Amino acid sequence: MPTAPALAPAPQVRPRTPGGGRGARAGWTVAVAVPLAFLAVFFVGPVAEIVGRGFVADGRLDLGGFGDVFSRPRTWRVVGQTLAQATLGTVGAVLLGVPGAYLLYRCRFRGRDALRAFVTVPFVLPTVVVGVAFRSLLVDGGLLGGLGLDGTFTAIVLALVFFNYAIVVRTVGGMWERLDPRTEQAARALGASPWRVLRTVTLPALGPAVASAASLVFLFCATAFGTVLVLGGRRYGTVETEIWIQTTQFLDLRAAAVLSVVQLVVVVAALSVAGRARARTERALTLGGPAATARPVRLREPVDAVAVVVTALTVGGLLALPLVNLVVRSMRTPRGWGLDNYAALAVPQDTLAVSAWQAAGTSVRTAVDATVIALVVGGLVALVVSRRPRGAPARRAVAGLDTLFMLPLGVSAVTVGFGFLVSMDAPLGIPVDLRTSPVLVAVAQAVVAVPLVVRTVLPVLRAVDPRQREVAATLGAAPGRVLRTVDLAVALRAVGLALGFAFAASLGEFGATSFLARPQDPTLPVVIFRLLGRPGAENYGAALAASVLLAALTAGIVAVCERLRRPGIGGAW
Amino acid sequence: MSDGLQAADVVVRYAAAAAPAVDGVDLAVPTGEVVALLGPSGCGKSSLLRAVAGLEPLSGGDVAWDGVSVADVPVHRRGFGLLFQDGQLFAHRDVAGNVAYGLAERRDRVARDARVAELLDLVGLPGTQRRDVGTLSGGERQRVALARALAPRPRLLLLDEPLSALDRALRERLALDLRDVLVATGTTALFVTHDQDEAFAVADRVAVMDAGRLLQVAAPGDLWARPASRRVAQFLGYEAFVDVPGAGDAVAPAVRALVDAARTAGLALLPTGGVLALAAGAFVVARDGHPGGARDVDGVVRVLRSRRGRTEVVVDVDGVGRVSALAPAGWTCTPGERVALRADAAAVAGLSG
């Protein structure tokens, strides 16, 4: 039987790839170009402008600004404080978070889902609210005023741990949930004690997840702004608050630019560590499938007992106490208990042009715009990065895109806001002064929210077996239909969660917004900060009430979106 | 002859690998025929299948249907269906949603429902339209995946080890069902497997592949009776090879008995320098046979095992090596014992060298 077909194959040099045709190629080009253009105009451009101001003076390269800024003892103090508080905050979050991850993801007990939702609350709270909550607890006359922690380094570190505890719990817990329990059972059967199993089997397996969470926490701690600004007063600050102070108080733009560069170096270093750890996590995760590994808590077992005690103390003392105290204090007025502070939200306070309610309206409107922008840009990035192209150069380009869009997560929001301020009078040389446009605030908030969207949607898209797309194509589905019926259908719930995170992040964004919000249209976090800066019990009371309002708004939004999430699927956070 | 699928000199190369995964394969599947691609894992058979589907780019050669090259036709326009080992059902759709996915008439509710019902009947799962695919057993999942792949009436169905993930009893039953469905629908199919029994049960012709190349293409019976090479014979399960002796050579009694049995059966003319390939059962334990005489065939029993009620012994035979011999049901002995054997030409094939 002749097996050679009738036609002779033409000699070829290039491998022939039967792709999706010209339409698909155009689609992918747009999917890459839109986010890149957004990032270039609204992130790289402004940040480069700032960096340029540190290096260039009178049109020439001038590193004199560095020498000047680094010869100030104040600079070294701020850098030292930044690294010290970030390190301590990270260590604290990991030490408390790992037992929490065990209890919330490896054990079963009544109310576990509610507790999981509760520990997430601090993470989505606006930084200003976290600062206000801790201050109202530690201030003279506050519940823990006797400890003398108000305005101390310890208070800042505690607030940072409060804020970042959820990152460790969710990242490490998500991995722990999927570890194959039979490895541990094998170790037990070989005669290892529960502690030895934990030390020699479980924790090494969780290593990448812990490293990934720790580097993210370090990043958030090192760039913390609102919390530190509210709690640190004049004595303690981070590079981030120092940039703000140099810009708004001392009007020393060159010093601010130099500090932005310093911040950028720290962030890039932390991000590259995070990226490597994350890659290892994702590789490791493919080894084990999701398993039903949760078992009831057994208080007689020492591992469980330690986890229960540590988590109970953390949740009760560190997480719940400041929040409950904030709500209670917001109802205390100079004339006794009541809702007067909340009534005050309806009228403009002190010298402010608007009431807190109006500011809340501005916040929500801005956050809606920011969320839409972040979802489009972040969704496209996640889609592109989730693909594993054939060629090595293309694969490297995709990995680079991933890292590039993580940058806004760590690059100081203050730097972004400041950069907008100095570059948006004529973006890309086009003489359109965007600085007076309210859209600018939404765009800045979207820049901050994009990495959250990417990190939430990407793991879900990556988890889609590529053969699902292949099988859809062999059933005759064109690339557009594959995208709609496979990728989008699977990612829908993750998109809901991303929407919640993006909205919460935009609602509470303070660093960039504090530069960009127009005086007559402040957002709620800006109003809270301004109220705090004014004397008088009424202003303080209104700040507390406004904080409760903002906290309720963000937590409520995330809670609704969290409900959309399918259990076991979704990003690490 | 340009009817059906023609793969000509197909080369598939992966960036990281030194040797091509598929190295110049020519294969034709005429319309209506089922061809099995049989080979050990890593031999390139799945890469060839993916290249035919358009999921892997060709580094050389061509894939054509009815004489027209499809190398530049994107996957979704080729009209080639694909069934994966693990089915790859869409977890977010129910059974009917999966089966209807590739239907051209999926927007016409009545026609769609009728076709889905017809396909589910065909694969033996009537009435399961609304089932969540997560609740299906492994075998049911593959049946749904088969219905889904057949729904758009593909001109060629590619099956990538569709039964390998199932347990043995189910695999054997599904292999027969699969053959029935493919014949009933007149589907042209290319079927990848590493299991000889499965290939023989499902296919009209079997193509044996190794290290990126096709070694032999033949109907199951021909393939078994006349393996083209020692490698093919080894892969089919032939376990020992004996050189055919010259006329005056002094040889072991077992070899002499084999050659005599093969000659008597008219197996093939066995030239000197040819090779006899021995499958399990080339020797049979002689009932009540007692070893003794110098010309008697015998072997030393190493292992005694039971295969579906029949006794099989692994014996060391002088001049042949270690082979599996069949014994009557209920027969037993102790390992180390010497037993009398006779040769059975039905399990012997001749190779030309």
Side-chain angles (χ1 to χ4, degrees):
Chain A
M1 178 173 298
T3 50
L7 70 164
Q12 293 161 16
V13 186
R14 195 172 55 85
R16 283 201 256 168
T17 313
R22 210 169 301 157
R25 213 163 305 139
W28 285 115
T29 309
V30 170
V32 173
V34 168
L36 275 183
F38 176 84
L39 199 72
V41 175
F42 295 115
F43 180 72
V44 177
V47 172
E49 177 88 25
I50 297 293
V51 174
R53 280 179 193 235
F55 286 105
V56 183
D58 303 326
R60 285 187 303 110
L61 188 69
D62 176 17
L63 300 179
F66 277 83
D68 178 29
V69 173
F70 279 110
S71 64
R72 299 178 197 166
R74 183 186 169 91
T75 306
W76 288 107
R77 197 196 71 201
V78 166
V79 170
Q81 278 173 7
T82 304
L83 295 180
Q85 77 180 35
T87 307
L88 289 176
T90 307
V91 169
V94 169
L95 285 183
L96 298 179
V98 170
Y102 171 75
L103 194 63
L104 289 174
Y105 286 84
R106 210 54 197 266
C107 299
R108 244 192 343 255
F109 54 91
R110 277 171 76 90
R112 186 188 67 170
D113 291 350
L115 196 59
R116 269 197 206 178
F118 176 73
V119 301
T120 313
V121 169
F123 174 63
V124 300
L125 284 186
T127 54
V128 175
V129 173
V130 175
V132 171
F134 270 78
R135 207 165 141 195
S136 71
L137 188 66
L138 301 175
V139 78
D140 274 345
L143 192 60
L144 300 181
L147 298 179
L149 287 176
D150 187 28
T152 63
F153 187 70
T154 312
I156 296 176
V157 171
L158 284 178
L160 291 176
V161 174
F162 168 91
F163 191 64
N164 291 302
Y165 176 72
I167 296 180
V168 178
V169 171
R170 292 184 73 134
T171 310
V172 177
M175 176 103 172
W176 212 326
E177 200 174 26
R178 294 184 211 187
L179 281 189
D180 193 335
R182 286 171 301 183
T183 319
E184 293 167 11
Q185 287 159 4
R188 285 302 300 275
L190 289 168
S193 72
W195 289 110
R196 181 146 178 254
V197 171
L198 189 69
R199 195 165 45 79
T200 57
V201 177
T202 315
L203 289 181
L206 292 175
V210 173
S212 167
S215 48
L216 264 180
V217 172
F218 186 88
L219 202 65
F220 284 136
C221 290
T223 58
F225 177 62
T227 312
V228 178
L229 200 62
V230 172
L231 286 176
R234 296 210 162 273
R235 278 196 297 153
Y236 295 102
T238 53
V239 175
E240 182 101 355
T241 58
E242 186 65 11
I243 294 170
W244 187 80
I245 289 168
Q246 291 292 344
T247 313
T248 58
Q249 322 256 296
F250 301 153
L251 303 176
D252 185 348
L253 291 190
R254 199 165 70 145
V258 170
L259 288 168
S260 294
V261 175
V262 172
Q263 170 119 315
L264 207 60
V265 171
V266 174
V267 163
V268 169
L271 270 181
S272 65
V273 173
R276 237 170 288 155
R278 203 177 51 244
R280 263 184 294 158
T281 309
E282 280 169 9
R283 249 205 319 277
L285 275 183
T286 58
L287 294 176
T293 57
R295 51 168 189 73
V297 180
R298 284 192 288 260
L299 283 174
R300 278 157 190 246
E301 285 195 14
V303 175
D304 285 23
V306 169
V308 167
V309 170
V310 170
T311 306
L313 286 177
T314 309
V315 170
L318 188 67
L319 303 192
L321 191 60
L323 294 176
V324 173
N325 180 64
L326 176 67
V327 175
V328 172
R329 286 292 296 250
S330 74
M331 287 189 267
R332 196 159 90 187
T333 71
R335 290 177 302 283
W337 299 96
L339 295 174
D340 296 11
N341 291 328
Y342 288 90
L345 296 181
V347 287
Q349 291 289 301
D350 207 356
T351 56
L352 294 175
V354 295
S355 73
W357 274 112
Q358 283 169 309
T362 308
S363 280
V364 169
R365 275 193 304 278
T366 317
V368 168
D369 294 346
T371 305
V372 171
I373 300 172
L375 273 186
V376 170
V377 174
L380 288 176
V381 172
L383 197 60
V384 172
V385 173
S386 70
R387 299 304 158 116
R388 309 238 154 115
R390 234 171 262 282
R395 220 170 303 157
R396 270 197 295 277
V398 161
L401 197 68
D402 189 13
T403 309
L404 194 64
F405 276 87
M406 281 296 278
L407 271 181
L409 193 64
V411 169
S412 135
V414 168
T415 306
V416 174
F418 180 32
F420 272 33
L421 212 56
V422 297
S423 68
M424 286 300 154
D425 53 336
L428 295 178
I430 307 161
V432 194
D433 194 346
L434 283 179
R435 285 177 302 179
T436 54
S437 163
V439 178
L440 201 58
V441 179
V443 170
Q445 293 178 350
V447 169
V448 177
V450 162
L452 291 176
V453 175
V454 175
R455 287 270 76 82
T456 312
V457 177
L458 184 57
V460 181
L461 287 181
R462 279 213 175 128
V464 175
D465 193 320
R467 288 176 301 168
Q468 291 260 302
R469 300 183 190 110
E470 293 173 357
V471 93
T474 62
L475 289 167
R481 183 159 180 247
V482 175
L483 203 65
R484 200 157 38 76
T485 54
V486 178
D487 293 280
L488 213 59
V490 171
L492 210 56
R493 283 156 193 269
V495 169
L497 186 65
L499 190 135
F501 277 146
F503 197 84
S506 307
L507 212 53
E509 210 291 321
F510 179 61
T513 311
S514 64
F515 277 91
L516 301 171
R518 295 181 301 171
Q520 68 273 27
D521 291 326
T523 60
L524 198 49
V526 173
V527 164
I528 293 171
F529 186 69
R530 285 196 200 150
L531 285 174
L532 279 180
R534 311 231 176 258
E538 259 124 38
N539 285 333
Y540 184 60
L544 294 183
S547 296
V548 172
L549 174 65
L550 185 54
L553 263 178
T554 42
I557 295 280
V558 174
V560 168
C561 295
E562 176 94 346
R563 300 230 120 203
L564 299 174
R565 197 170 82 110
R566 215 182 325 182
I569 301 180
W573 23 337
Chain B
M1 195 205 82
S2 58
D3 172 45
L5 174 79
Q6 302 94 38
D9 200 21
V10 167
V11 179
V12 176
R13 205 181 282 278
Y14 294 108
V22 178
D23 193 4
V25 166
D26 290 311
L27 180 67
V29 185
T31 314
E33 197 180 62
V34 178
V35 171
L37 209 50
L38 176 66
S41 54
C43 73
K45 57 193 192 300
S46 286
S47 298
L48 176 60
L49 197 79
R50 291 174 59 84
V52 169
L55 296 168
E56 227 44 77
L58 295 176
S59 302
D62 195 25
V63 174
W65 183 264
D66 286 353
V68 181
S69 172
V70 294
D72 292 321
V73 178
V75 180
H76 64 280
R77 298 220 181 87
R78 283 198 186 186
F80 294 176
L82 178 59
L83 185 61
F84 279 111
Q85 178 175 347
D86 48 3
Q88 291 295 332
L89 295 179
F90 300 127
H92 53 282
R93 290 166 170 260
D94 60 11
V95 168
N98 269 280
V99 175
Y101 187 89
L103 282 180
E105 61 265 40
R106 62 178 183 274
R107 301 203 191 286
D108 174 355
R109 207 188 160 78
V110 178
R112 182 191 65 195
D113 290 350
R115 177 88 175 121
V116 168
E118 178 194 332
L119 284 158
L120 288 175
D121 281 349
L122 181 71
V123 298
L125 288 173
T128 54
Q129 278 90 335
R130 295 275 79 84
R131 286 272 296 276
D132 180 347
V133 295
T135 65
L136 301 174
S137 70
E140 289 170 333
R141 286 167 158 271
Q142 284 308 75
R143 288 171 188 267
V144 173
L146 177 63
R148 181 179 69 174
L150 289 171
R153 296 185 174 87
R155 47 189 188 174
L156 173 69
L157 182 61
L158 304 164
L159 305 104
D160 192 358
E161 308 234 4
L163 309 176
S164 300
L166 310 173
D167 59 57
R168 190 161 101 187
L170 188 59
R171 197 163 66 220
E172 288 176 0
R173 201 173 72 235
L174 266 186
L176 297 177
D177 290 356
L178 182 60
R179 166 88 196 164
D180 291 345
V181 168
L182 293 178
V183 170
T185 52
T187 304
T188 311
L190 184 57
F191 177 95
V192 160
T193 179
H194 64 263
D195 184 309
Q196 304 84 342
D197 297 336
E198 207 172 284
F200 285 20
V202 175
D204 300 314
R205 282 190 305 144
V206 177
V208 181
M209 199 169 168
D210 188 41
R213 293 177 171 278
L214 273 193
L215 300 181
Q216 188 176 6
V217 186
D222 294 345
L223 190 65
W224 182 252
R226 285 185 290 281
S229 67
R230 186 181 280 234
R231 184 82 189 97
V232 172
Q234 266 171 347
F235 188 68
L236 292 177
Y238 286 91
E239 50 184 21
F241 298 89
V242 174
D243 293 332
V244 175
D249 293 358
V251 292
V255 176
R256 180 66 56 206
L258 275 172
V259 173
D260 290 348
R263 287 239 164 78
T264 313
L267 179 68
L269 285 177
L270 293 166
T272 305
V275 174
L276 291 177
L278 275 58
F283 286 104
V284 178
V285 174
R287 189 182 284 273
D288 303 327
H290 292 286
R295 289 186 55 83
D296 283 351
V297 181
D298 58 18
V300 179
V301 174
R302 293 299 169 202
V303 180
L304 202 70
R305 63 187 171 211
S306 170
R307 202 157 259 183
R308 299 190 182 176
R310 292 204 62 178
T311 306
E312 193 181 281
V313 286
V314 177
V315 287
D316 281 334
V317 180
D318 288 340
V320 173
R322 185 162 289 190
V323 291
S324 306
L326 299 179
W331 183 88
T332 189
C333 75
T334 43
E337 214 174 300
R338 195 167 270 276
V339 293
L341 302 168
R342 63 182 169 77
D344 181 0
V348 177
L351 305 178
S352 53

